[in-house]
Every structure is written in C-alpha cells, then in structure tokens.
Amino acid sequence: MGEFEAVIGLEVHCQLATKSKIFCACPTTGTAMNQSVCPICTGHPGTLPTLNAEAVALAVKAGLALGMRIELRSIFARKNYFYPDLPKGYQISQHDKPLCESGSLRIETKQGVKDVRIQRIHMEEDAGKNMHFVGYSLVDLNRAGVPLIEIVSEPDMRSADEAGAYLRELHQLVTFLGISDGNLQEGNFRCDANVSVRRPGEPFGVRVEIKNVNSFRYVEKAIEYEIARHIRCLQSGDTIHMETRGYDAQKDETYVMRSKASVDDYRFFVEPDLMPLVLEQAWVDAIHIPELPQAMKERWVRDFGISHYDAQVLAQTKRRSAFFEQAARHGNTKIVANLISGEILRLMSLAGCEIDEAHITCQDIIDAASLVAADTVSHTGIKLVLAEVWTHGGPLEPWVDKLGVRQVSDQGFLDTLVAEVCQENPGQVAEFRAGKEKLLGFFVGHVMKKSGGKAHPQKVGEAVKAYMQRGLG
Amino acid sequence: MVNRVLEAIGSTERHCSIAEIQHALVGGLKVQDLTAAYLGAIHASDLNAFITICDERAMQQARDADRLIAALGAQAFVSRPLLGIPIGVKDNIAIAGVLMTCASKMLENYVPPYTATAIKRLEDAGAIVLGKLNMDEFAMGGSGENSAYGLTRHPVDKTLVPGGSSSGSAAAVRGGLCVAALGTDTGGSIRLPASFCGIHAIKPTYGTVSRFGLVAFASTLDQIGPMTRSLVDAELMLGVMSGRDQSDMTSIDYTYEPIPEPDFSKLRIGVPEEYFGLMPDIEAKVLDAMAWFESKGAQVQRVSLPHCHAAIAVYYLVAVAEASSNLARFDGVRFGSRLDGVFEGARALFGPEVKRRIILGTFALSARGTTSYYKQANYVRAQIREDFERVFQQVDLIIGPVTPTGAYKIGAQMSDPLQMYLNDFYTIPANLAGIPALSVPAGKVGELDVGLQVMAPWRQDALAVAAARVFDKEFLHGRI
C-alpha cells in the first residue's frame, strides 16, 4: 500500500433474538412463505405499530456492552421509499435521535490491539424478501417487521484485517450476550462496508459502499479488492465514483450496483404512530451485562495460562465458553483448552454442531485431560479416544483400553523392545555410538512401531540412550 | 313510543334519542324490526350516503340483540349501553369481513381481515352496524364530492353538499338513515359536515379514541368521533369508544364520562378576535351565542390566537406530508387491481384531490422542501399549541364558528381547491393543538344550518359538552 492508507467504516445490521416482531406479535421465525405475518406487519391500512419491549431491552444491552451512552429519550422516524418488499412504503427506523450513541469495541490483529469507536446503534424493522423468477416476482413478508439494530462504527479501521477482526469480535459479542443468534446464512448479521483511500494526513477520499456480503472472509476480500482498486485509480489519475458496489465471490471482485450520483431522498420524518421512546434510568440499570467475551478471554489467558488463539476459539459461543469453564475448573487448563480447540473443534465442524449437542460430556474432557497430564495416554492416542466418545458416547476410560492406547512405561518391557530393535539394526547402532545422535528418532520410531503405539515415546528415548551407553561400557 | 321511534326513520326533522329507542326496545319493539326499517330506508334513499350496506350482518346482530333482550329484559342494557342501536360507520374504519373502500378506486375490493378498536368496543356494547358511509376519498375534501362512488347529497336540500369529509355520516344521521354515525376529523371533517347538516358532533381530544383500524390520513391529527342528533347520544358513544388501547401507542388513558351542567357563573368563555371581521353572517351567529352565554352568567371575553392565521398553511403541510407517507403502501403490490400494475400504474387509481395532496406532501418532506416547509410548519404548529395553552389559562372554553358559511351548492367549489381549504379555517386549530372541539346546532344563516364550535383544553371534552348541552337545550328555543 505504501503511500496510501485505507479508511474503513462498517454498518452492521443485526437481528435481535426476540420471540416476536418489533411492532406486532408475529413470531420472528418464519416457516413457509408469508406464514409469520399479520395485518400489522403486512401494512394493512389502518393498522398501527406497538413497540416490543424485549427488542428495546436487547438493543440497550448491545449499547451497554459496547460502552455506549443510552439515550433515555429516542425517536422513531419513517424512512420513505418504494420497494415491493416494503409493505408500508416506509421503514420505521431511528434517524436523528438513536437509542445508543458513542462507544467502542476492542479488536486484536497482528498489528496489535485497537479500539474501534462506535458512532451509534439504532433500532429498526427489517423488510421482506423479493424472489425473482422468469416473468414474475414473489414477495415473502415473513421477515418484514423483524427487529434489527444497526451498529454504525466510526471510520476507524485501516485494513481488511481490522475490519474482519471487528466483525468477528462484534459477532462474538452479540451472540455471546444473546442479543442475536448471529446466523450469517440467514442474514441475521449483515454488514455494509464503507471504504475509501487517502494519503495519510489528507482528508477522506471518495467513499464506496459495499453491500450484502454475508461472510466475514468475503467482506475482507471485498475490502482488499476495493482498496487495491482505489489505489490503482489514484495512481493512474482516474476518478473514484461515490457508489454502491456488490461483491462477486467467484470472481473475487466488486461490481457497481448503483451510482450514488443523486443522493437518495428518504424524506425522513418523526414516526407519528409511536411516541418517543422514553426509558427510565432504573430500567436501563437493571439490564444485566454478564462478563463480556473480551474480559473473559483476558481472564482465561491470565488465570488459566492458555493461548490467545485458544481463548478466541473457546469464547466463540456462549455454550462453548460455559463448557470450557466447567471443564477447566478441575485443573489441567492448558490441556483442556488444547483438546477442545483442537480435536473437539474439528469434530464439531465435521458434525456441524456445538459442543454441548454431542455425546461427549464435560466429565469426558476432564478425564481425557488428566490421562494426558499423567502421561497415561499420548496426545495422538487421546484424539482416537475422543473421536470414539464423540460418536458413541462415554465413559472415556474403557475406550482407552479398547483402542489400546494406554502408554506403557514399564522399564523391563521397554528395555526388551529396545534390545530387539538394536539387534536388528547393528549398522545404525554403530553409527549412533560413533556420534550420529540424530538416529535416536530412528530407534524410537521402530520401538514405537513394535509396541503398537503403546510405548511412551519419551521413556523409549531414555531407554535407547541407556542401551547405547550400556553397550559401550 | 314505538311509533315515535319508527317515524324518525328516514326523517330529517324527527329524531329519537338512544334512551328513547332503548325504552321502546324494552317495551316490545324488536331490534330486528327496527334494523329492517333502517335498512329499508337506506335502500330507498337517494342521498348516496352509504357505500356498503350490511344487510345480513346487521340482521344477524339484530337477532342476537333480540335474544339477549328476550332473555335478560332491561338488564341486557346494563352492560351493553348501545344494545340494539343501529349506527353507520365511515368507510375508512375497518370491520373484519366488510368491504372498506375509503371511497377510493384503490380499495374497491379491499376487505379488511381485522376490526378497528372503536368498532369492537361499539359492537361489544351492542351497537348494530348498518353499513359503511360515503366520504371524500381517504378523508381528503370538505364537501363529500371527492368520492369514487359518487357524491353524497345534503338530506334537507339535495342540491347542496352535506360537507365532508364525513359526508355520508352527516347525511345519514340528519336523513334518519341511522341513529348515530362515526366520523373522522383531521382538519374539521366531523364538525364541518355536522354544521352543514345541523347535527351534533364531537372531535375528542387527540388520543381519546383509538386510531387502530382507522385508515390514516394524517396520523398526528386524525381522530374518530361520534355524529348524532343529540349531545347525550354522542357522549354515550364516546364513553364506549374511549379509553387507552394497547394497539394504539398514541391513545391516551382517558375514558370519557359526562359531567353535570357547569355553574355558568364560574365559567369563562373566550372568543378569538382573529375569528372576527371575516364573515359577517356567521359572526352574527357567534355574537348571539356570546350574548346567550353572558345571559347565563358566564364571563365572556375576547382572546387572541395570534398564530391561527397560519393554521391553514401549517395544516396543508403537516397533513399532506403525513398523508404522502401513509398512502405510500398503496403501491399496487397488494392493493388495486393486478391489471393496473405496480407503482406508477396503480397510483393512477387515486382521485385528483388525493394525488394533489400526495404530491404536495412528498415535496414538503423532500430534502429540498423539509427545512422551509415541513419543519417550519411543525415549528409554527407548536406556536399554535402554545397560543391555546396561554388562552386556556384565561378562559375555560373557546367558542367560535365551525364554518365560514352554511352548505353550498354541489359543484360550487370543485374548481377551486384553495377556496375549499379555507373552509377549514375555524376547525383546523383544534386538530393542530390536539384539543377537543364540538359542533352544536346554532340555528340558520338564511336557509342554511350552521353550528357553533366549542373548544376545550386537552382532556376537558366533558366540560365543552356539558356547556353545549345547555346551549343546545335553550339557545334555539329561546331565540328563534
């Protein structure tokens, strides 16, 4: 990038995990098309919105978790535009006076730790979904009226890496606190990225908005692409146009969706069907914010001595973190962390489920960790055991024997095997004794093989060395 | 008694109160016979007051009412204060399963799947809905001529307009086609036709009657209210309809209850000086009313509402701005005929007055218009509200004209929308301030009925009505 600097701001639309829609009693979980609808969310003439208190509580929770100022008086506004999936011809949103203002989120990248400022969070309703077919289109209004918060960052990010870290951290926060289920495929956590490029110290460059990208990796790639495109433009003296762009994952490039030459005129005005949202400080204070993922991870690194990477993986979901906390309570914290973030995570992603949905129990992990800690089973061996317990269920110990992975440390047994291997390979013994100590691995490997993997590798190494020295003596 | 009740049906001159009708029902008159007689009168009428007549539905309600009365006798009326009373409903208020057109081509096939809170409460109280009443399209208009289903005629002189937008409501009540009707008032749409047709009507404090189920024209101004032949009947209706509704967040926790006659010697009446020097005939009527109030011992004084000269301008920005948004849902995706297409095609279904207001409102809210027009209008609206707050520290009630003139000839103002907008000069301030205002018959100017307007502070509806009840009883009988 050299002489250029990217400036990135993100707008995240996050579906709140309420049971019912924001302005009516319809369920937020759609079944068949146009089933979770009523006269209110389909915009029948004469209907009026009533605000869902649960949605307000979740939005406030998000604001508190991001250290924001909760506005005790906020205002709903109408954003007017025509689109077939917008039943009322306007979206009820917040404009001038949002619910939460001014906070920040700490992110961590290879470049280090950074606080990204959050400008505002406002509440709004989702629109429906248009589906286009040859010659006709259909509209599904199950999503219409589903509660959303829009979390708007300041333009504080300077690389695609930082944008990705911000999204992952924010996603973790909202799912962790139960604010959103954060399902990316279903569009419950959507991101629009505003990207511009400038020479450091100069004013912001012309901004492009990238819309509708539904994976963190693709957001990063789209931003990377866009930064490179801007720099090319600036270097060749081309003009960058203010526009909205989409991302084509297959071609790995962005494309123009619509030009912003004429700024949209949404004719905002105060929503006359809702009173100003007035909250009492005591009500806000009563909203409980549990330990946030950031603090929890720091505590794990500090108190449990686990790596930042393991902490990140284990804190991914609330359920996983609770599972880990329980398992780690019995000690062997590093091993427990390694087992879950390694083999268990692999099994989870294969099965496509969360840790507490499988046969494996917390006790199984505790048992596995103590077997590894006592050198009873090797790291390799325990993986086999965990895979079986994962599939068939515990308890764990019987699988250790069934799979025959209990490590053998019996000196007599090991000495016998070592002697056999050495007798079979006299040339290598001579070389070793002549000083070629690299051959240790060769002997250990053969002994392990002979033992059927049961021998304790470290003990075997010691036994080989002892044999060689005995022979010399 | 029974004869008196039946003779009132279809009559512009005779009428019976709800209490009298219920007395006849206890005395043996069948609700079915009463209902059938009203339905017959509606079918025979040439006023074009109804868009939809609910023959079967009304007769079913009547049979249910008769069963209740047969089983419980007079007791049946205790928890159902409107039992057996045939009413009409303006066609912008939803009743599940009953066509609701808003007098527009856009909704010619629209049958709402839900019922407005006001209707639910009236029907729970035993009221019988005879049908849906004609109006100006989407309540936009002051004469009843802007209906896709034809204009409504004045019941007394069929060459006149009945006033609007609650044109069918006023015509049906005065024409004896229902005992009472619901109207809606955004800038005078209840009071103006009530004044033209010589009936009684209350526009309650904003939020008194739930707007849930009322098709929004201008959400911050719209109110449902009763239109009747007596204030006592209107109070009964309002008592049933009012009260906080969980479905309307702008509804207020205020259930209407009538109060006894006020002590006139302690009553301070204000007359806005801005309402004078414009229309001598109507002003003479107000001067008579002032004299009557003084003769009752009330202290009558001139007051000033300095910003009310701007009320029409403010109204025709705020109301049209809100309307342009409220009517955006009629985009052709779900309403209007499929053949009309979406957006441009479907929106051609609106009548000229509706189109005019949508265009004005869209501009008022646009990036170019909002600062100079919409925001400025809301600023002045606040000044108007403050005018009333200040005046109501000096007086208890304000009286004035309802309309500049009596009813005019059909077609007389159709080519001049601005002139028609000016008819709302006296009524609009109460909507902008959210305060209650009623129209009570005050006699005639020439051959034409006119009303007296009584305005009260926020939630003081019952005081205005109590004073107007006495006026109604004594003023005309003493003077004319």
Side-chain angles (χ1 to χ4, degrees), chain A residues 23 40 42-43 86-90 92 125, chain B residues 325-326 328-329 334:
Chain A
F23 298 126
I40 296 170
T42 53
L86 191 69
K88 297 189 294 296
Y90 55 84
I92 303 177
E125 59 179 337
Chain B
S325 175
N326 284 328
R329 71 192 62 199
R334 287 151 311 130

Side-chain angles (χ1 to χ4, degrees), chain A residues 27-305:
Chain A
T28 47
T29 44
T31 45
M33 269 172 71
N34 290 312
Q35 292 304 299
S36 302
V37 296
C38 73
I40 296 170
C41 58
T42 53
H44 277 258
T47 57
L48 297 171
T50 51
L51 182 59
N52 179 343
E54 190 190 3
V56 178
L58 289 176
V60 168
K61 200 170 185 180
L64 291 173
L66 290 165
M68 303 182 77
R69 191 170 73 240
I70 307 301
E71 298 297 335
L72 295 180
R73 189 172 188 278
S74 63
I75 307 272
F76 284 92
R78 288 190 188 174
K79 181 178 180 178
N80 294 283
Y81 64 97
F82 286 107
Y83 210 62
D85 66 8
L86 191 69
K88 297 189 294 296
Y90 55 84
Q91 178 195 33
I92 303 177
S93 180
Q94 294 188 308
H95 185 55
D96 287 338
K97 297 213 180 322
L99 181 61
C100 317
E101 289 192 83
S102 163
S104 69
L105 180 66
R106 177 159 295 181
I107 61 168
E108 203 175 329
T109 61
K110 288 185 205 92
Q111 275 69 49
V113 168
K114 175 173 186 172
D115 289 326
V116 176
R117 290 171 303 153
I118 315 262
Q119 188 188 93
R120 60 186 270 161
I121 296 180
H122 66 254
M123 302 184 69
E124 62 187 28
E125 59 179 337
D126 207 349
K129 201 164 83 182
N130 293 333
M131 280 156 293
H132 304 291
F133 302 90
V134 181
Y136 67 101
S137 296
L138 296 176
V139 182
D140 179 5
L141 295 179
N142 281 350
R143 280 197 78 91
V146 158
L148 303 178
I149 46 174
E150 182 171 335
I151 305 165
V152 183
S153 84
E154 296 285 355
D156 282 357
M157 287 152 280
R158 295 290 174 267
S159 68
D161 267 2
E162 289 188 354
Y166 171 87
L167 288 174
R168 288 185 182 89
E169 194 63 45
L170 188 60
H171 183 260
Q172 183 173 66
L173 184 86
V174 295
T175 53
F176 203 83
L177 294 183
I179 292 163
S180 174
D181 68 9
N183 190 320
L184 297 169
Q185 279 70 43
E186 288 175 17
N188 296 351
F189 191 93
R190 310 192 286 263
C191 166
D192 300 335
N194 288 299
V195 181
S196 65
V197 165
R198 64 172 173 185
R199 290 182 171 84
E202 287 187 355
F204 292 142
V206 175
R207 173 166 60 94
V208 160
E209 185 177 23
I210 309 169
K211 262 191 162 356
N212 300 339
V213 190
N214 66 351
S215 103
F216 298 150
R217 186 69 206 117
Y218 288 158
V219 174
E220 290 169 333
K221 293 180 86 159
I223 291 172
E224 269 163 23
Y225 178 90
E226 206 47 33
I227 293 171
R229 190 181 68 85
H230 283 222
I231 291 173
R232 274 199 311 277
C233 280
L234 291 175
Q235 281 171 336
S236 63
D238 289 345
T239 317
I240 298 164
H241 297 285
M242 188 156 162
E243 61 199 5
T244 302
R245 296 176 78 92
Y247 176 70
D248 182 332
Q250 272 168 348
K251 293 188 192 156
D252 184 23
E253 59 185 40
T254 65
Y255 58 89
V256 182
M257 285 169 79
R258 60 195 159 98
S259 160
K260 275 200 172 170
S262 59
V263 177
D264 299 313
D265 187 347
Y266 290 118
R267 292 174 283 127
F268 281 102
F269 72 106
V270 172
E271 167 55 88
D273 291 333
L274 294 168
M275 305 302 277
L277 174 55
V278 177
L279 304 177
E280 282 172 21
Q281 189 61 50
W283 186 84
V284 173
D285 292 343
I287 292 176
H288 174 66
I289 302 293
E291 184 184 39
L292 298 177
Q294 195 68 46
M296 187 183 67
K297 285 182 285 186
E298 281 164 18
R299 173 170 59 81
W300 287 351
V301 170
R302 189 181 63 236
D303 295 354
F304 293 164

Side-chain angles (χ1 to χ4, degrees), chain B residues 153-343:
Chain B
R153 291 179 185 278
H154 194 291
V156 177
D157 179 345
K158 286 167 192 164
T159 66
L160 301 178
V161 300
S165 69
S166 306
S167 50
S169 307
V173 169
R174 182 61 197 266
L177 303 180
C178 55
V179 177
L182 292 194
T184 65
D185 193 316
T186 306
S189 283
I190 282 177
R191 288 160 288 161
L192 185 145
S195 172
F196 279 11
C197 288
I199 63 168
H200 303 71
I202 304 170
K203 181 210 89 74
T205 296
Y206 181 81
T208 302
V209 180
S210 166
R211 291 185 299 116
F212 187 76
L214 160 62
V215 178
F217 159 17
S219 315
T220 63
L221 302 162
D222 297 340
Q223 256 301 280
I224 294 175
M227 301 173 73
T228 57
R229 296 303 302 268
S230 84
L231 285 169
V232 173
D233 286 358
E235 291 188 288
L236 189 52
M237 302 269 290
L238 196 49
V240 168
M241 288 189 288
S242 60
R244 170 86 179 148
D245 174 20
Q246 296 302 324
S247 299
D248 176 2
M249 297 194 85
T250 65
S251 73
I252 58 174
D253 190 10
Y254 166 52
T255 302
Y256 183 88
E257 279 179 51
I259 58 169
E261 290 182 10
D263 178 352
F264 279 82
S265 69
K266 290 187 182 140
L267 204 60
R268 296 167 301 165
I269 305 283
V271 186
E273 58 189 26
E274 289 80 5
Y275 282 11
F276 284 84
L278 305 168
M279 308 297 288
D281 292 349
I282 209 90
E283 288 161 21
K285 206 41 106 183
V286 177
L287 290 171
D288 285 350
M290 285 166 65
W292 179 86
F293 275 101
E294 271 176 341
S295 74
K296 293 292 289 179
Q299 184 207 109
V300 179
Q301 63 187 82
R302 293 270 171 146
V303 294
S304 175
L305 298 169
H307 295 89
C308 79
H309 65 89
I312 291 182
V314 168
Y315 174 82
Y316 279 97
L317 288 166
V318 171
V320 298
E322 292 180 17
S324 72
S325 175
N326 284 328
L327 271 57
R329 71 192 62 199
F330 304 112
D331 55 9
V333 176
R334 287 151 311 130
F335 307 102
S337 156
R338 187 162 304 219
L339 295 173
D340 301 316
V342 294
F343 303 122

Side-chain angles (χ1 to χ4, degrees), chain A residues 371-387:
Chain A
L371 288 173
V372 172
D375 272 341
T376 312
V377 180
S378 69
H379 277 282
T380 322
I382 206 70
K383 282 183 190 173
L384 301 173
V385 174
L386 288 173

Side-chain angles (χ1 to χ4, degrees), chain A residues 203-470:
Chain A
F204 292 142
V206 175
R207 173 166 60 94
V208 160
E209 185 177 23
I210 309 169
K211 262 191 162 356
N212 300 339
V213 190
N214 66 351
S215 103
F216 298 150
R217 186 69 206 117
Y218 288 158
V219 174
E220 290 169 333
K221 293 180 86 159
I223 291 172
E224 269 163 23
Y225 178 90
E226 206 47 33
I227 293 171
R229 190 181 68 85
H230 283 222
I231 291 173
R232 274 199 311 277
C233 280
L234 291 175
Q235 281 171 336
S236 63
D238 289 345
T239 317
I240 298 164
H241 297 285
M242 188 156 162
E243 61 199 5
T244 302
R245 296 176 78 92
Y247 176 70
D248 182 332
Q250 272 168 348
K251 293 188 192 156
D252 184 23
E253 59 185 40
T254 65
Y255 58 89
V256 182
M257 285 169 79
R258 60 195 159 98
S259 160
K260 275 200 172 170
S262 59
V263 177
D264 299 313
D265 187 347
Y266 290 118
R267 292 174 283 127
F268 281 102
F269 72 106
V270 172
E271 167 55 88
D273 291 333
L274 294 168
M275 305 302 277
L277 174 55
V278 177
L279 304 177
E280 282 172 21
Q281 189 61 50
W283 186 84
V284 173
D285 292 343
I287 292 176
H288 174 66
I289 302 293
E291 184 184 39
L292 298 177
Q294 195 68 46
M296 187 183 67
K297 285 182 285 186
E298 281 164 18
R299 173 170 59 81
W300 287 351
V301 170
R302 189 181 63 236
D303 295 354
F304 293 164
I306 71 174
S307 71
H308 282 281
Y309 172 80
D310 281 354
Q312 181 67 28
V313 169
L314 294 168
Q316 201 78 56
T317 69
K318 190 167 189 159
R319 289 149 68 181
R320 199 183 300 173
S321 70
F323 191 98
F324 169 68
E325 288 264 15
Q326 203 187 334
R329 205 174 295 156
H330 299 265
N332 300 323
T333 50
K334 276 181 167 173
I335 300 170
V336 168
N338 275 331
L339 291 178
I340 298 176
S341 69
E343 184 64 7
I344 297 294
L345 183 67
R346 190 183 68 84
L347 293 165
M348 278 195 296
S349 60
L350 279 177
C353 69
E354 195 39 77
I355 191 164
D356 54 3
E357 291 168 325
H359 292 304
I360 204 155
T361 65
C362 210
Q363 191 58 48
D364 293 330
I365 303 289
I366 293 165
D367 292 346
S370 50
L371 288 173
V372 172
D375 272 341
T376 312
V377 180
S378 69
H379 277 282
T380 322
I382 206 70
K383 282 183 190 173
L384 301 173
V385 174
L386 288 173
E388 292 299 329
V389 176
W390 177 269
T391 315
H392 303 289
L396 184 120
E397 284 268 3
W399 286 106
V400 173
D401 297 312
K402 217 175 282 180
L403 294 166
V405 292
R406 196 177 292 277
Q407 298 198 107
V408 177
S409 311
D410 178 78
Q411 203 60 53
F413 175 69
L414 293 182
D415 285 346
T416 313
L417 292 182
V418 168
E420 277 174 28
V421 169
C422 288
Q423 277 151 22
E424 286 159 18
N425 299 285
Q428 279 82 355
V429 171
E431 280 182 52
F432 186 93
R433 283 179 172 154
K436 199 171 177 187
E437 298 203 349
K438 272 195 285 183
L439 281 171
L440 179 64
F442 167 84
F443 290 106
V444 173
H446 275 74
V447 173
M448 290 301 290
K449 205 170 168 187
K450 239 182 214 311
S451 76
K454 290 184 211 172
H456 190 293
Q458 216 178 329
K459 296 255 161 65
V460 174
E462 284 162 17
V464 171
K465 283 186 195 159
Y467 178 90
M468 297 298 182
Q469 277 164 7
R470 269 206 303 281

